[in-house]
Every structure is written in structure tokens, then in C-alpha cells.
């Protein structure tokens, strides 16, 4: 145990895996306890048999105190007493209900004709994110790089970007609807607004952190300013830029929900709102969890790819890296991780 | 000075005469550089003038704070002088250029490029075609004995190997002068000695003029034709010394009388003999050991 808490010592492979699983298992355990152990919380009662209480119905849920009052009233008149089981509020379904919903939500047809299935909603959300992030990056990445490399460009653009950055993206909702209509376009615009301004500043900062000695060395080798940007600044910080984009993609996901209520509600947000309206809370949780899974899976995939893309930084021989190097047409003999011996 | 020139054998004296007949590559005239400080400007360099001739090996030597690094950065064009001028082949220097190759004290290989791609960098900037510059790069790597590592990444190399690649990278650009800013300062003693031998060998085989900065007396005497000794606050020229140690140089010469006399002379310039503690002044001392535990 004490070895786990030693400072500056990396965890063993087993400990990493174990603690990683624990980080998901602990919240799940708390949730299960609250759901399955009746005396822990359960502030409500679910009616099993209504007895002689006229307004009780089988399956309805009400506060424990209200149930007790009605029960004692009926008991006093010697009628048939109602029975019920302790229950949690409807907004907290048990884990197994959500787990079932993770499957059933996909196969249950939408209640209203014309509404979207869950997978259609998800696909719409993914498209919104993809186009929003792509548009933002197409402009933000080169602008950020130039800001980082040239002080004059940074001075021209950064003050105003800093100013706009503090305006919450949803505040532009009505405006975007007026400009782009009510369908996917204003939603993509909100994601762009939410991502772009942060992106420029973050990328400019990363580019500024490039070791000036490398830039000076390139200058003494005859590199011109334009060449310095694309042959030194960019390759030197490419792994960091890649990580920046990964983090920014996470931010884009957080803007998704507010973006999707702009105009005609769409995508996963529409699905969630609709299910909440029908008080189908297991489906709401299922949808939220699916967003988390999509985000995390995407991020893990990008991290995996990144580690193998930048061979010079990690120097770990790997089959995947060779594949990437082949794909990217790197014509130098492939790095196998073996270092030749000096004579 | 006279004492040193009297140590020159006829062969060494003849070498210096031949050296002085060669054309001037680098001409530094009245160079000065001051920086803005909290209490007015601080002068780092003042009135530095010297010439470096073709294929000469000149060392710049001085204690820390004498402006050695400022001087080489000015010559490289990475910094601008506040007075005076720098002429390379008679043309004034404005800003960095590929005619002055530089090897830095820190490792400045591009980590995302393989060793070969590092050496090709300058040629690539000039727009040379790829197969041609690749051949050339391999040639330079062969010269520094690292062609086996052409496809390794800098992260895989030891410090000495990195600096050898840096030398090859600078030379591949075909510069008029090679500027070296304490290039072996971060290496261990053994590697350092090897690198000095390597460098002398390269210098013999390549048509290159070298300006080498160091604070190590042995290194300067071992490598240089002439040594420019600077003194600090502000950085000025103390003396320009012709090293009387004959070539070819070898590490064993450290014990030669000529080598030792040269070293003694430079040492007296850099560290003028002065008593550190006046005789009637004693340092306050505390005894932190047991009595009877004396080491002396």
C-alpha cells in the first residue's frame, strides 16, 4: 500500500490497470448501494396493492409520509390497508435498469412518428461535432501557428480573440438562428464559436514554447522566416499540437448539448429531452453514458494513434508505428528500436 | 608575450608567417554591445577588434562574464552590435546566414529528424535536390564517423555523438567559418578529449576556418593556432596569443614544457596572483568535530 503512495514513482502495470478499473467501479458501487439497499435512502413508496385508498393505483410512487398518512386513515376505519415497497425517486433508476436501457433504447421505436431513433440521433450529433470542429480547426490551426510564430500577428488578433472568448457561446444562439436558419447549421456555428477562440490561443501558446535554440540553429543553417515556421516551429511542436486538438475536441463535445437546443432541437439532446418528457429516465441515463463512451473512446483512439505517429518522441518500437510510417510514405528505413553500436 | 614567442621553434614560427600571408576571412572592427540594465546600460563587450585568417583555428578564452558568448552570437548574426562592424570576406554581416555555421553548447539537433535529415537541413533550405543532398549528408556523416547512425533519431545518441552530428550539419552547408560556442562544455572529460582529437582531424581534412569559444585553458592551447584572451567587466581584449605548441597536437603534450609555459602565461593573465586572505585577517571558524579527531 505504501509503495502505491510513493512520490515520483510510476505505477506498475498491474496497479495502473487495477486502479483504473477502481475509478469506474467506485462510483458504480455507490450507485448500486443507494439503489439496492432499501434503508440507505429510498424516500418514496411504490404502491403494490391500492387497498381501500381511492386515489392509489398500482405502481404509482409517492412520499413515504403521504403513504403512511393514507394507510393509517384506512387502518382506523378497519378497511383494506394498501401495501407498498420502499423506492427511490423516478429520476434515479437502478444500474440494471440503465444497463437494460443501453440496449433497449436502440431497439425501441420512437414514440411519435417522424421522431428519430437513438442511433439516428447519435449520428446527427456526431456530424454536428465533426463539421463544427473541422471548420474551427481549418482556420484556428494555421492562425494559431502564425500567432505563435509572429509577434505582430499575435498582437493583431489575440486581444480581440481574448475579448470574444469570454462571451458564452450559447449567447450567440438566437443570432445564429437568424443567420443560418433552424437546422444543423446554427448548431455547427455554436460549436465553432465555442471552440475556435480557445483554439487559437491554446495553439499560439504551444507554438511559442518551441525551444528558441532550435530556431536559432535553423537560422544559422540558412532558414528563412517562412521556412522557420513550417520546417522548425510546426514539426517541433507537432506532438503538442496534436494533444491540444485532442483536448479541444473534448471541449467541443461539452458545447454539443447547448448547441443542439438552438433552433429545432436535434441529435442526442432531442432524444434526451424527449425521453425525459415521457419520464423514461433509464433511457436518459443511457444516452448520457453513450456520449461519455463516444468521447472517451475517441480520445483513447487519438492518444493511441498519436503515440505511434511521433516516433522521435517516444522511441518505442511498435508494429502499429511501422504501419503508420508506411502509410505516411516515410521513405527512411523504418525504426526498429535497435541502436547500432559505435566502433 | 615576448617570453612566449621565444618558445616558438623555427617550424612553428614559419607556420605563423605562412598563416599571416593567408587572406582574412573574418574581420571584427571596434565591436561593442551594451544591454539596457536597471541602473543604466551595461556594457558586455567594448572595442573588440581582431582578424581571423583562412583555415586558422582561433580560440576565444576568458572567465565567465567576459562576453564570449555575446561575441560569437554577434558574429553569427543572432544578436546585433551597438557599435563597430563584422566583415566576412570583406562584406558586412547583417543577421544570421548559412555562410557562418554554428555549433551550440546545448544540443540543438532537430529531434523530429533522423541524423541524416538533420545534416540535410541546410541543403534542403537552399532548395538542393534530394538525392544529391542525401549523398552529401552521408559523406559528412562518414567524415565524423557516424554514417551507421544515419537513420537514428537524436534521442538515441550520446552527447558526444550529438555534437559530432551538429558539426557535420554545420559543415554540410559549406560555411566560410565554423563558430563553436563551448561545444564540448557539457561532455565528460574522456569524451571531451576524444572530441577535441576528432575536431582537429576534421579541421585538418576540411577547408574550414574555426572560431572556438571555451573557458578551458587546456582545451584552448590544445586546439588553437592563436588564443584571444578576454577580460571581464566590460568584456575587452586582454591579449592575442600565438600558441607555440607544435602541430600535430596530441593529448600527451599537456606535460611538454612549451605547453606548460603557455598555460602558466595565460593563467597569470586570467588569474593575476593576489592573496585571497590578508595575512592579518582570519576567517571566523567553528570547530564541528571532536577534539582528538584531527585530520592534519
Amino acid at each position: 500500500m505504501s509503495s502505491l503512495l510513493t512520490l515520483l514513482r510510476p505505477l506498475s502495470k498491474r496497479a495502473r490497470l487495477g486502479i483504473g478499473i477502481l475509478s469506474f467501479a467506485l462510483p458504480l458501487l455507490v450507485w448500486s448501494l443507494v439503489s439496492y439497499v432499501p434503508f440507505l435512502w429510498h424516500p418514496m413508496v411504490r404502491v403494490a396493492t391500492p387497498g381501500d385508498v381511492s386515489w392509489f393505483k398500482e405502481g404509482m410512487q409517492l412520499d413515504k409520509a403521504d403513504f403512511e398518512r393514507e394507510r393509517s386513515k384506512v387502518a382506523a376505519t378497519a378497511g383494506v390497508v394498501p401495501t407498498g415497497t420502499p423506492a427511490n425517486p423516478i429520476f434515479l433508476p437502478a444500474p440494471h435498469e440503465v444497463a437494460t436501457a443501453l440496449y433497449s433504447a436502440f431497439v425501441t421505436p420512437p414514440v411519435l412518428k417522424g421522431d428519430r431513433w437513438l442511433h439516428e440521433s447519435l449520428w446527427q450529433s456526431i456530424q454536428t461535432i465533426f463539421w463544427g470542429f473541422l471548420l474551427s480547426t481549418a482556420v484556428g490551426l494555421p492562425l494559431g501557428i502564425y500567432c505563435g510564430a509572429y509577434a505582430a500577428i499575435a498582437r493583431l488578433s489575440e486581444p480581440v480573440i481574448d475579448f470574444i472568448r469570454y462571451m458564452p457561446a450559447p449567447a450567440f444562439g438566437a443570432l445564429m438562428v437568424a443567420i443560418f436558419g433552424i437546422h444543423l447549421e446554427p448548431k455547427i456555428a455554436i460549436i465553432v464559436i465555442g471552440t475556435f477562440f480557445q483554439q487559437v490561443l491554446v495553439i499560439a501558446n504551444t507554438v511559442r514554447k518551441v525551444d528558441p535554440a532550435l530556431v536559432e540553429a535553423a537560422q544559422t543553417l540558412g532558414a528563412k522566416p517562412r521556412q522557420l515556421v513550417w520546417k522548425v516551429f510546426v514539426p517541433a511542436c507537432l506532438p503538442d499540437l496534436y494533444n491540444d486538438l485532442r483536448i479541444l475536441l473534448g471541449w467541443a463535445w461539452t458545447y454539443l448539448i447547448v448547441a443542439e437546443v438552438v433552433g429545432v432541437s436535434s441529435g442526442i439532446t432531442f432524444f434526451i429531452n424527449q425521453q425525459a418528457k415521457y419520464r423514461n429516465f433509464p433511457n436518459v441515463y443511457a444516452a448520457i453514458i453513450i456520449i461519455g463512451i463516444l468521447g472517451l473512446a475517441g480520445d483513447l483512439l487519438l492518444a493511441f494513434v498519436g503515440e505511434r505517429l511521433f516516433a522521435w518522441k517516444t522511441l518505442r518500437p511498435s508494429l502499429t508505428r511501422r504501419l503508420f510510417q508506411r502509410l505516411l510514405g516515410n521513405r527512411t528505413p523504418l525504426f526498429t528500436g535497435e541502436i547500432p553500436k559505435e566502433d | 608575450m615576448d617570453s612566449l614567442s621565444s618558445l616558438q621553434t623555427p617550424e612553428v614560427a614559419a607556420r605563423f608567417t605562412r598563416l599571416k600571408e593567408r587572406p582574412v576571412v573574418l574581420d571584427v572592427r571596434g565591436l561593442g554591445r551594451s544591454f539596457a540594465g536597471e541602473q543604466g546600460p551595461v556594457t558586455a563587450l567594448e572595442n573588440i577588434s581582431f582578424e581571423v585568417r583562412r583555415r586558422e583555428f582561433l580560440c576565444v578564452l576568458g572567465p565567465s562574464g567576459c562576453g564570449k558568448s555575446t561575441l560569437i552570437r554577434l558574429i553569427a548574426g543572432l544578436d546585433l552590435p551597438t557599435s563597430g562592424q563584422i566583415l566576412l570576406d570583406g562584406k558586412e554581416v547583417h543577421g544570421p546566414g548559412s555562410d557562418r555555421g554554428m555549433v551550440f553548447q546545448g544540443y540543438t539537433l532537430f529531434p523530429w529528424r533522423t541524423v541524416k535529415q538533420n545534416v540535410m537541413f541546410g541543403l534542403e533550405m537552399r532548395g538542393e535536390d534530394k538525392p544529391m543532398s542525401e549523398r552529401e549528408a552521408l559523406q559528412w556523416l562518414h567524415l565524423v564517423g557516424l554514417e551507421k547512425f544515419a537513420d537514428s533519431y537524436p534521442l538515441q545518441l550520446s552527447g558526444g555523438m550529438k555534437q559530432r552530428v551538429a558539426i557535420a550539419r554545420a559543415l554540410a552547408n559549406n560555411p566560410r567559418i565554423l563558430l563553436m560556442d563551448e561545444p564540448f562544455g557539457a561532455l565528460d572529460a574522456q569524451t571531451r578529449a576524444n572530441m577535441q582529437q576528432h575536431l582537429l582531424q576534421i579541421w585538418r581534412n576540411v577547408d574550414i576556418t574555426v572560431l572556438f569559444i571555451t573557458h578551458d585553458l587546456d582545451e584552448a592551447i590544445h586546439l588553437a593556432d592563436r588564443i584571444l584572451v578576454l577580460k571581464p567587466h566590460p568584456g575587452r581584449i586582454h591579449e592575442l596569443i600565438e600558441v607555440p605548441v607544435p602541430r600535430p597536437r596530441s593529448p600527451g603534450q599537456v606535460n611538454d614544457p612549451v605547453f606548460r609555459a603557455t598555460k602558466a602565461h595565460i593563467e597569470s593573465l586570467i588569474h593575476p596572483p593576489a592573496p585571497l586572505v590578508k595575512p592579518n585577517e582570519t576567517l571566523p571558524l567553528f570547530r564541528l568535530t571532536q577534539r582528538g579527531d584531527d585530520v592534519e
Side-chain angles (χ1 to χ4, degrees):
Chain A
M1 188 62 206
S2 64
S3 72
L4 287 180
L5 295 178
T6 314
L7 295 177
L8 291 177
R9 186 188 297 167
L11 292 170
S12 71
K13 216 168 180 179
R14 258 182 62 199
R16 271 179 60 84
L17 184 69
I19 297 175
I21 290 173
L22 215 57
S23 112
F24 278 97
L26 281 179
L28 193 63
L29 181 70
V30 172
W31 183 19
S32 300
L33 286 176
V34 170
S35 299
Y36 300 129
V37 184
F39 54 83
L40 266 184
W41 191 34
H42 292 69
M44 317 281 281
V45 174
R46 180 179 288 122
V47 179
T49 54
D52 278 347
V53 186
S54 58
W55 56 278
F56 275 14
K57 276 201 194 84
E58 193 189 323
M60 81 183 286
Q61 255 178 246
L62 69 164
D63 276 349
K64 215 175 239 167
D66 294 335
F67 182 85
E68 283 306 318
R69 195 177 59 242
E70 295 298 328
R71 201 176 69 101
S72 46
K73 264 196 224 161
V74 174
T77 57
V80 185
V81 285
T83 56
T85 48
N88 273 336
I90 192 158
F91 59 77
L92 186 71
H96 73 272
E97 292 172 297
V98 174
T100 329
L102 273 174
Y103 168 73
S104 66
F106 280 101
V107 295
T108 315
V111 179
L112 292 176
K113 234 188 166 169
D115 276 0
R116 284 189 183 78
W117 289 64
L118 176 57
H119 63 270
E120 289 172 323
S121 305
L122 277 171
W123 181 234
Q124 208 172 31
S125 291
I126 290 171
Q127 278 179 308
T128 312
I129 286 274
F130 176 78
W131 289 111
F133 193 71
L134 191 73
L135 284 175
S136 169
T137 307
V139 185
L141 187 64
L143 182 60
I145 288 169
Y146 278 114
C147 281
Y150 295 102
I153 297 180
R155 192 65 196 148
L156 182 67
S157 47
E158 283 188 1
V160 68
I161 287 176
D162 234 345
F163 171 62
I164 301 173
R165 182 166 77 106
Y166 280 98
M167 304 173 184
F172 291 89
L175 198 60
M176 290 303 119
V177 168
I179 299 171
F180 292 113
I182 54 172
H183 300 292
L184 275 191
E185 295 85 350
K187 303 167 178 76
I188 293 171
I190 293 290
I191 300 226
V192 171
I193 291 171
T195 314
F196 174 77
F197 300 99
Q198 315 279 357
Q199 200 171 29
V200 174
L201 296 182
V202 167
I203 287 174
N205 250 339
T206 300
V207 173
R208 268 192 281 268
K209 272 188 230 141
V210 168
D211 184 359
L214 292 181
V215 181
E216 288 186 341
Q219 281 178 307
T220 64
L221 290 166
K224 316 262 176 317
R226 253 183 82 91
Q227 292 173 317
L228 283 179
V229 175
W230 296 107
K231 293 284 182 181
V232 181
F233 276 110
V234 171
C237 64
L238 206 56
D240 299 325
L241 289 181
Y242 183 85
N243 272 336
D244 284 350
L245 290 185
R246 250 178 68 205
I247 292 166
L248 284 157
L249 184 60
W251 290 10
W253 275 98
T254 64
Y255 278 108
L256 180 69
I257 298 297
V258 281
E260 282 183 338
V261 295
V262 168
V264 178
S265 176
S266 72
I268 193 75
T269 315
F270 174 78
F271 180 85
I272 290 173
N273 288 348
Q274 208 67 351
Q275 295 300 318
K277 224 176 270 172
Y278 303 133
R279 304 190 70 66
N280 198 348
F281 284 97
N283 276 3
V284 172
Y285 281 88
I288 293 173
I289 289 172
I290 286 169
I291 297 179
I293 291 174
L294 280 180
L296 183 66
D299 190 67
L300 286 178
L301 180 73
L302 288 177
F304 181 83
V305 170
E307 220 173 276
R308 276 143 191 88
L309 214 44
F310 305 109
W312 55 271
K313 200 140 197 185
T314 43
L315 292 184
R316 195 152 57 81
S318 111
L319 216 64
T320 336
R321 179 184 297 156
R322 290 192 203 189
L323 184 73
F324 277 115
Q325 287 179 329
R326 286 253 157 87
L327 285 177
L328 294 172
N330 192 341
R331 262 178 288 149
T332 57
L334 297 172
F335 169 56
T336 54
E338 285 164 32
I339 304 172
K341 283 275 171 302
E342 202 181 355
D343 297 324
Chain B
M1 187 67 198
D2 285 345
S3 61
L4 273 188
S5 44
S6 67
L7 289 174
Q8 289 183 8
T9 59
E11 290 86 44
V12 173
R15 255 199 95 240
F16 278 113
T17 323
R18 283 204 304 279
L19 185 79
K20 279 168 199 156
E21 284 163 2
R22 296 205 200 119
V24 173
V25 171
L26 181 75
D27 188 359
V28 176
R29 291 184 187 165
L31 200 67
R33 177 74 171 101
S34 44
F35 298 95
E38 270 174 34
Q39 292 125 15
V42 179
T43 310
L45 283 176
E46 196 178 72
N47 197 23
I48 305 278
S49 300
F50 64 96
E51 290 173 349
V52 189
R53 289 174 187 272
R54 200 177 137 229
R55 298 215 58 191
E56 181 178 353
F57 200 125
L58 185 93
C59 275
V60 179
L61 183 77
S64 56
C66 70
K68 302 188 293 280
S69 283
T70 310
L71 176 64
I72 205 165
R73 288 178 61 81
L74 287 172
I75 296 171
L78 296 170
D79 192 8
L80 295 174
T82 34
S83 64
Q85 45 182 184
I86 298 158
L87 304 174
L88 190 77
D89 289 329
K91 285 186 297 253
E92 192 167 356
V93 161
H94 303 281
S98 59
D99 48 5
R100 286 145 291 147
M102 181 136 167
V103 178
F104 297 81
Q105 178 175 14
Y107 305 124
T108 56
L109 293 186
F110 305 123
W112 62 91
R113 286 174 163 252
T114 62
V115 165
K116 184 175 70 188
Q117 289 168 337
N118 261 283
V119 180
M120 284 164 64
F121 185 85
L123 302 165
E124 205 180 306
M125 293 302 106
R126 244 191 284 157
E128 304 271 333
D129 80 310
K130 208 175 162 184
M132 177 79 160
S133 45
E134 222 172 271
R135 262 204 309 278
E136 211 160 310
L138 286 175
Q139 232 168 42
W140 287 107
L141 282 175
H142 180 74
L143 182 86
V144 297
L146 287 175
E147 71 268 59
K148 259 167 105 187
F149 294 80
D151 297 309
S152 303
Y153 284 93
L155 226 65
Q156 297 169 274
L157 304 185
S158 68
M161 287 153 83
K162 280 183 203 171
Q163 290 305 64
R164 268 149 71 190
V165 177
I167 293 170
R169 183 177 69 172
L171 288 177
N173 238 355
N174 205 8
R176 293 292 294 152
I177 188 167
L178 185 62
L179 308 172
M180 307 185 84
D181 185 6
E182 302 201 32
F184 311 143
L187 305 176
D188 62 88
Q190 185 58 48
T191 314
R192 195 177 169 133
N194 288 341
M195 288 298 290
Q196 290 166 359
Q197 284 311 110
H198 270 302
L199 179 61
L200 283 177
Q201 206 182 330
I202 292 167
W203 173 68
R204 229 186 6 252
N205 297 334
V206 180
D207 175 10
I208 189 73
T209 311
V210 181
L211 182 79
F212 190 103
I213 289 206
T214 182
H215 62 255
D216 182 338
L217 269 65
D218 289 327
E219 187 169 63
I221 300 167
H222 183 54
L223 294 173
D225 288 321
R226 295 189 297 159
I227 300 175
L228 184 72
V229 184
L230 298 182
K231 56 183 167 187
H233 312 299
R236 287 151 295 161
I237 291 185
H238 206 344
E239 203 175 305
L240 187 56
I241 292 165
E242 293 180 352
V243 179
V245 183
R247 289 188 189 273
R249 305 267 169 83
S250 66
Q253 284 171 321
V254 193
N255 295 320
D256 278 6
V258 180
F259 193 105
R260 281 180 15 210
T262 314
K263 189 172 175 182
H265 175 75
I266 300 174
E267 232 154 27
S268 69
L269 288 177
I270 294 180
H271 309 292
L276 280 175
V277 185
K278 284 178 196 154
N280 54 351
E281 239 179 70
T282 53
L283 290 170
L285 284 176
F286 297 101
R287 193 182 175 89
L288 294 176
T289 57
Q290 300 287 323
R291 264 185 205 287
D293 195 24
D294 293 328
V295 284
E296 284 179 348

